[in-house]
Amino acid sequence: MSARELLVAGELLLLLAQKALYWPSQKTLIIADIHFGKAASFRAQGIPVPRGTTTQNLLALDELMAAHEVKHIVFLGDFLHARAAHASATLAKMLEWRRRHPTLALSLVRGNHDRHAGDPAASLGIGMVDEPYSMAPFSFCHHPDVDAPGYVLAGHIHPVFVLATRFESLRLPCFVVGARRMILPSFGAFTGGFSIAPESGDRIFVTSGDAVHFVR
């Protein structure tokens, strides 16, 4: 899978086709809106949805770490979807993954779903922070509109962009790159997306799953 190099706030970043961001100089992987346990939350309410999304998310993280040298993962909020995400089966899968990566630093910027779900289990060894979490020149946030000292990297919106012709249209996850903030697509399986209307000056990079393309 291909990536798109982008110079942001004087730093080289890679927009990854797998809906994530990589900061090579810091060996840091940046993930927005993974929403662990969302499917379990729906099933707890009696809504029949597919199983296996937690495993799918963890495999996706493993694939990225196999492709890039990663010492730190920063989650930009909404790590857990709801309190039902604390289910023992979900936690067991996450703990097994964590045991395979004992030296990996994990940081979670609390998002709106995290505040309702509660912090992840302490046994996962995740550093919990509130927005903005600064690693110059960036401010890691969940919400894109936070007043922060650095260039904001955020999620929350689950942005998708509609590519349309006369006869058909296609909704693709996208990175929204502005002068002072970047909004990442949602990383998690079964998270959906929100069609965005770019603001003046925004650049849009869509991902097909195999490559990242500049569209405007």
Side-chain angles (χ1 to χ4, degrees), residues 1 18 20 29 31 34 36 51-68 73 75 93-94 96-98 100-101 187-189:
M1 295 184 185
Q18 300 95 323
L29 184 65
I31 302 289
I34 198 165
F36 278 115
R51 296 179 179 274
T53 54
T54 295
T55 299
Q56 189 175 342
N57 286 336
L58 295 172
L59 286 173
L61 291 176
D62 281 340
E63 288 174 4
L64 288 174
M65 288 189 288
H68 306 278
I73 299 179
F75 295 97
K93 291 174 184 175
M94 296 167 70
E96 192 279 329
W97 178 86
R98 185 57 163 136
R100 290 191 283 107
H101 305 285
F187 183 81

Side-chain angles (χ1 to χ4, degrees), residues 150-153 178-182:
Y151 185 95
V152 169
L153 301 174
R180 294 179 178 153
R181 59 95 182 98
M182 181 191 303

Side-chain angles (χ1 to χ4, degrees), residues 5 22 56 92 94 156:
E5 293 186 353
Y22 181 61
Q56 189 175 342
M94 296 167 70
H156 184 57

Side-chain angles (χ1 to χ4, degrees), residues 1 8 14 35 38 47 63 75 88 97 119 122 126 150 153 165 172-173 178-179 184 207:
M1 295 184 185
V8 178
L14 300 184
H35 284 270
K38 183 173 183 179
I47 302 171
E63 288 174 4
F75 295 97
S88 58
W97 178 86
D119 289 348
I126 302 174
L153 301 174
T165 68
L172 291 175
L184 279 64
T207 172

